[in-house]
Amino acid sequence: MQTQLADWARDTDFGREADEILRRCVHCGFCLATCPTYQILGDELDSPRGRIYQIKQVLEGAEPTFVTQQHLDRCLTCRNCETTCPSGVQYGALVDIGRQIVSERVRRPLRERLVREALRRLMGSPWFGPLYRIGVWVRPALPAVLRSKIAQARPAGPLPAEPGRHARQVLMLANCVQPAMMPSIDAATLRVLDAVGVGTRIAAGSGCCGAINFHLDAQEAGRDQMRANVDAWLPLLESGEVEAVIVNASGCGGMIKDYAHHLKHDPAYAERAARLMPYVKDIAEFLAPMAAEVRAKMRRAPGRSAFHPPCTLQHWQGLRAVTERLLADLGFDLQAFGESHLCCGSAGTYSITQPALSKSLRDRKLQAIQTTLPDTIVSSNIGCICHLQSGTGTPVRHWIETVDEALHD
């Protein structure tokens, strides 16, 4: 694709990056077939190719409008198009640039500004847990879009005693919402790691991965959270005190594995963020070499399950095959279903900011899954788990919870 960037963009870091990405696009249209929003809306402006054209126009000097912003907002950032693209277009990086530029030039309506600000302030706040528990009590009175996000949390159960006794030690995230919404996921992760002789800890000074701020018009606030995590984790890792950062929410994992990209223009953090990357492991990556040991300790095999691979696992991190192989090795009776490559519509806060599209994608995903008649739907990301559970009576869980139960039942 030929480009002629405007003067204000041409000699900037983001302009040079966008220009390189735009020039890779050859207009082939393969991305349309795998874009969830295009599948539902049928409007090319709501496809990767259409959004690329809109971002290009803005970078070349066209004035963005609220309509431009809407089309970019409707993107789930699932990156399915990147998996499909034969030219290696880094669409996710480009849409991040486009959204930032448009947000600086287009003032959102008051309601949207309030919702987005409330989401990013609340979800990263110490008040989230207490407010979530209140939400459980008053759930019937809440608007449908919020009611669908609130469920009674499964109990965490007993945690391993003295995790520091193990020679092998890893770091876990201080997740923003998972401890309040589904404490059973972290607890199950700790118990499974303990069973294979791995202790866990949370590094002082670490916190949210930065995704919530970054995707809600506060990219620099998100980068500040990334920097704090680099500062908290890297010394422990490079000293050998711990061996890895283990992530059991693929949305967080996808964001953390992009730290080197997001901080590459920061002279104080670019090289340090790059050094962090090899240490960051999804829980499936970490456990895969120990599959036989885990299986030997399991008291029963998991039942008939459908595995929903989150976009942040399969398209961002490329770990779908690793995870499915691990689940098969652990005895899961996995049931294949159609359109497993498409997004379920959760996409972080997308299910709140774009409820109609999100619900359509959720229902389409569940319809495909239910044809396999699974006893359980398992996934790797809390957002997908909550979102899918709001539309089905079939239990939806993190696969690590199922493994934990099989170890301890």
Side-chain angles (χ1 to χ4, degrees):
M1 181 181 290
Q2 295 300 309
T3 60
Q4 187 61 48
L5 300 194
D7 291 342
W8 57 265
R10 186 178 301 119
D11 294 322
T12 62
D13 289 333
F14 70 81
R16 285 186 287 269
E17 181 179 356
D19 193 48
E20 193 278 331
I21 296 170
L22 287 167
R23 288 174 179 273
R24 282 179 172 268
C25 181
V26 296
H27 322 274
C28 67
F30 284 9
C31 56
L32 274 65
T34 56
C35 175
T37 50
Y38 182 75
Q39 292 296 302
I40 290 176
L41 299 173
D43 183 347
E44 183 156 346
L45 293 176
D46 287 308
S47 75
R49 187 168 67 178
R51 294 185 183 106
I52 286 172
Y53 275 118
Q54 291 172 86
I55 295 168
K56 176 178 181 288
Q57 288 173 338
V58 172
L59 287 167
E60 290 182 334
E63 193 62 31
T65 66
F66 178 61
V67 174
T68 311
Q69 192 169 58
Q70 284 182 309
H71 289 304
L72 297 185
D73 283 349
R74 288 185 192 131
C75 173
L76 294 125
T77 326
C78 68
R79 299 191 188 175
N80 197 354
C81 54
E82 291 190 15
T83 301
T84 307
C85 180
S87 302
V89 175
Q90 294 175 300
Y91 171 82
L94 182 64
V95 83
D96 285 342
I97 293 169
R99 282 171 167 163
Q100 179 67 21
I101 293 170
V102 172
S103 73
E104 293 169 354
R105 288 163 172 75
V106 177
R107 186 169 174 81
R108 292 183 181 276
L110 178 61
R111 181 181 178 278
E112 282 194 21
R113 297 202 307 272
L114 291 175
V115 168
R116 295 170 83 86
E117 188 70 10
L119 284 171
R120 75 180 195 87
R121 296 285 184 183
L122 174 60
M123 295 177 76
S125 164
W127 288 99
F128 180 82
L131 289 173
Y132 186 83
R133 289 190 288 274
I134 294 172
V136 173
W137 298 336
V138 301
R139 184 177 180 274
L142 294 174
V145 67
L146 293 179
R147 191 164 61 245
S148 67
K149 294 296 174 189
I150 294 178
Q152 187 67 49
R154 292 187 284 270
L159 298 179
E162 300 181 42
R165 72 188 186 281
H166 296 298
R168 298 183 68 187
Q169 293 287 311
V170 297
L171 296 172
M172 293 276 288
L173 300 193
N175 300 70
C176 304
V177 299
Q178 189 164 281
M181 297 179 71
M182 291 190 179
S184 54
I185 296 176
D186 283 347
T189 304
L190 299 183
R191 287 190 290 266
V192 173
L193 290 172
D194 184 70
V196 292
V198 179
T200 53
R201 68 175 81 172
I202 293 174
S206 65
C208 174
C209 68
I212 294 170
N213 275 321
F214 194 86
H215 294 300
L216 287 173
D217 300 337
Q219 289 191 4
E220 196 53 38
R223 288 191 183 93
D224 285 341
Q225 291 173 308
M226 299 176 200
R227 295 180 184 105
N229 285 334
V230 172
D231 287 340
W233 293 336
L234 195 59
L236 296 173
L237 292 159
E238 293 192 331
S239 70
E241 192 171 337
V242 295
E243 62 180 88
V245 178
I246 303 302
V247 190
N248 58 9
S250 65
C252 299
M255 175 55 73
I256 296 168
K257 289 184 178 183
D258 275 351
Y259 278 12
H261 168 73
H262 293 310
L263 297 174
K264 68 181 180 181
H265 300 304
D266 184 330
Y269 281 86
E271 191 265 341
R272 298 180 68 214
R275 287 181 2 229
L276 174 66
M277 294 303 94
Y279 294 105
V280 182
K281 304 291 183 183
D282 182 83
I283 183 63
E285 279 183 284
F286 188 75
L287 286 178
M290 296 176 275
E293 182 181 353
V294 176
R295 180 68 184 271
K297 294 175 181 289
M298 293 168 67
R299 299 181 180 181
R300 60 173 175 80
R304 183 182 177 92
S305 304
F307 174 61
H308 163 65
C311 299
T312 45
L313 185 84
Q314 61 174 327
H315 303 308
W316 287 47
Q317 300 185 67
L319 293 176
R320 175 176 177 171
V322 170
T323 306
E324 290 181 338
R325 190 179 309 115
L326 172 64
L327 297 185
D329 289 344
L330 295 178
F332 281 78
D333 182 12
L334 296 179
Q335 305 299 306
F337 57 91
E339 296 191 342
S340 58
H341 61 290
L342 288 183
C343 183
C344 70
S346 173
T349 58
Y350 188 94
S351 55
I352 297 174
T353 60
Q354 303 284 339
L357 276 171
S358 178
K359 184 176 182 294
S360 295
L361 289 166
R362 181 201 69 185
D363 293 346
R364 179 170 176 158
K365 174 71 68 172
L366 287 170
Q367 184 177 13
I369 290 174
Q370 294 296 357
T371 61
T372 71
L373 302 176
D375 296 325
T376 308
I377 300 169
V378 294
S379 192
S380 305
N381 190 55
I382 182 175
C384 302
I385 293 166
C386 290
H387 188 53
L388 292 172
Q389 189 66 84
S390 69
T392 181
T394 303
V396 187
R397 318 189 70 188
H398 196 297
W399 61 263
I400 198 72
E401 295 179 273
T402 304
V403 173
D404 175 54
E405 286 189 351
L407 283 169
H408 297 104
D409 277 0

